[in-house]
Amino acid sequence: MRVFVTGATGFIGTAVVAELVGRGHQVVGLARSARSAAALTAAGAVPHRGSIEDLGSLRAAAADADGAVHLAFFHAFSQASPATRLRVLAGGRPRGIGLRFLAAMVGADRRALETLGGALHGTDRPLVAAFATMALTPGRRGTEEDGPDPEAVGGPRGATEQTMHDLAARGVRSSVVRLPPVVHGDGDHGFLDQMVTAARKAGVVSYAGDGQNRWPAVHRLDAARLFVRALEQGEAGSTYHGVAEEGVPFLDIASALGRGLDLPVAAATPAELTARLGFLAPFVGVDNPVDSTSTRARLSWAPTGPTLLEDLEHGSYVAR
C-alpha cells in the first residue's frame, strides 16, 4: 500500500513510518524542510515537500496514495513573536489573542482533514487521524462510544472529529485514533519533557490539588502499531483508543519525576502552574481515565511496551 503520512518526522510519526516500512508499505511523508526530507529518505520513505496549510500539496499527495495517516497539527502559537507568546502564556486558559491562535490551529487542522478526505472521496481508501482523549468529559471513564465534550480542556479540537465521521458517509474509510496526554518513550519532547524542564527551573515537581487525577498513557511504539492496524483493518467511521494504561495518578507521575531529578514534589496553585507550564497548566489537574477494551478486541491490539512509570524510572526523561 502507498501511504501518505503527515507529521511523518514527529515523535509519533517517525515510529508510524518505521512500522509501515517494516510491514512492506511504501511511505510518502510530508516534509516542511530539507532536513525533514533527508530524515524521511534515511527512514526508507519518499519525502513530499509541503505543509498542512498547503492544501493543494496535500490533495495531490493523498490522491496519489492508497491511504493516509494524519498526525500533523498546525501550531500557530509556535510561529508567533516572543512577545505575543508571553502574553498568551500569561493568560493560562486561552482567551483574547490566545483564542485567535486556537481558532487558527483548529481551523487549519479541519481544512487539512477535509482536503485529505476529499482526495479519497468515494474510493473506500483509509484515512486515519490522531485526536486527543482530553476532549472527553473529565472525571468519567471514557469509551470509544463517547463523543467529544466541547467543555473539556481538549474540546475545541474534539469537534473536528465530526469531520472524520462525515467523511465515512462519503466513501472514505475514516478512523479516529484518540491518544492520551502522555505518549511516552525515548525522544519525547512533549508534556513530560516540558515538565522536566519546568521542574529543574523551579526546583520542584508540581501537581494540582491532591494529585489523584488520572492520566492515560501509551508507549509510542504501541501507538504506532495501532495507527497501522487502523489503516489496514479499521472500519469506516470508527473510533479507537490508543491507551495502554487507563489512568495513572498524576501524583505517581510527579513522584517518579521527583525521584529521577532528585527534587521535592509538591502541590502548586493555579497561578504557580501557569507560571511554570504556561498554556499547558490547565491540563495538569484534569482527571482523564480512558478505556480501550473495544479497541483491543476490534483490532487485536495488545500493547507490549513499558509502562509510563517504568519509562520514567528508566531515566530517559531525566537524563535529557
Side-chain angles (χ1 to χ4, degrees), residues 136-144 146 214 241 246 287-294:
L136 298 171
T137 301
R140 190 177 72 189
R141 186 168 177 259
T143 71
E144 293 87 343
D146 293 323
R214 297 154 292 179
H241 282 174
E246 180 175 304
D287 188 33
N288 185 223
V290 177
D291 179 71
S292 62
T293 302
S294 175

Side-chain angles (χ1 to χ4, degrees), residues 182-272:
V182 175
V183 180
H184 56 94
D186 290 344
D188 178 16
H189 293 288
F191 202 111
L192 286 179
D193 194 53
Q194 294 183 55
M195 281 188 63
V196 168
T197 301
R200 283 181 167 143
K201 184 176 180 179
V204 61
V205 182
S206 305
Y207 61 89
D210 62 3
Q212 293 307 304
N213 59 296
R214 297 154 292 179
W215 272 21
V218 67
H219 192 273
R220 68 188 286 256
L221 298 183
D222 287 322
R225 283 189 284 271
L226 179 59
F227 275 101
V228 175
R229 284 182 182 266
L231 180 84
E232 295 174 341
Q233 306 171 25
E235 298 179 355
S238 55
T239 298
Y240 302 110
H241 282 174
V243 171
E245 296 178 86
E246 180 175 304
V248 183
F250 196 89
L251 180 57
D252 291 354
I253 299 171
S255 297
L257 286 174
R259 288 191 295 272
L261 294 168
D262 194 23
L263 289 175
V265 178
T269 66
E272 289 170 334

Side-chain angles (χ1 to χ4, degrees), residues 19 33 36 42 106 113 135 152 154 267 289:
E19 182 73 12
S33 66
S36 294
V106 171
L113 277 174

Side-chain angles (χ1 to χ4, degrees), residues 36-262:
S36 294
L40 286 167
T41 300
V46 177
H48 176 84
R49 292 299 294 270
S51 69
I52 64 167
E53 304 109 277
D54 184 351
L55 302 184
S57 176
L58 289 184
R59 187 178 297 107
D64 195 37
D66 300 310
V69 179
H70 179 53
L71 301 171
F73 191 64
F74 174 55
H75 292 282
F77 178 77
S78 66
Q79 300 179 19
S81 69
T84 297
R85 290 187 215 174
L86 285 174
R87 289 201 301 273
V88 175
L89 292 176
R93 286 185 176 274
R95 60 186 180 185
I97 193 169
L99 284 174
R100 291 200 293 275
F101 275 112
L102 181 62
M105 292 187 286
V106 171
D109 182 57
R110 185 185 64 254
R111 289 189 292 274
L113 277 174
E114 290 171 344
T115 299
L116 293 170
L120 302 173
H121 178 210
T123 65
D124 197 37
R125 285 179 283 177
L127 170 62
V128 184
F131 286 85
T133 63
M134 279 207 173
L136 298 171
T137 301
R140 190 177 72 189
R141 186 168 177 259
T143 71
E144 293 87 343
E145 287 70 39
D146 293 323
D149 180 351
E151 298 301 317
V153 69
R157 185 174 182 253
T160 310
E161 283 193 26
Q162 185 58 48
T163 299
M164 294 293 286
H165 296 299
D166 293 342
L167 290 173
R170 296 168 53 197
V172 180
R173 188 157 55 85
S174 56
S175 299
V176 167
V177 174
R178 291 178 182 149
L179 292 174
V182 175
V183 180
H184 56 94
D186 290 344
D188 178 16
H189 293 288
F191 202 111
L192 286 179
D193 194 53
Q194 294 183 55
M195 281 188 63
V196 168
T197 301
R200 283 181 167 143
K201 184 176 180 179
V204 61
V205 182
S206 305
Y207 61 89
D210 62 3
Q212 293 307 304
N213 59 296
R214 297 154 292 179
W215 272 21
V218 67
H219 192 273
R220 68 188 286 256
L221 298 183
D222 287 322
R225 283 189 284 271
L226 179 59
F227 275 101
V228 175
R229 284 182 182 266
L231 180 84
E232 295 174 341
Q233 306 171 25
E235 298 179 355
S238 55
T239 298
Y240 302 110
H241 282 174
V243 171
E245 296 178 86
E246 180 175 304
V248 183
F250 196 89
L251 180 57
D252 291 354
I253 299 171
S255 297
L257 286 174
R259 288 191 295 272
L261 294 168
D262 194 23

Side-chain angles (χ1 to χ4, degrees), residues 3-15:
V3 184
F4 176 51
V5 181
T6 71
T9 57
F11 174 60
I12 300 171
T14 53

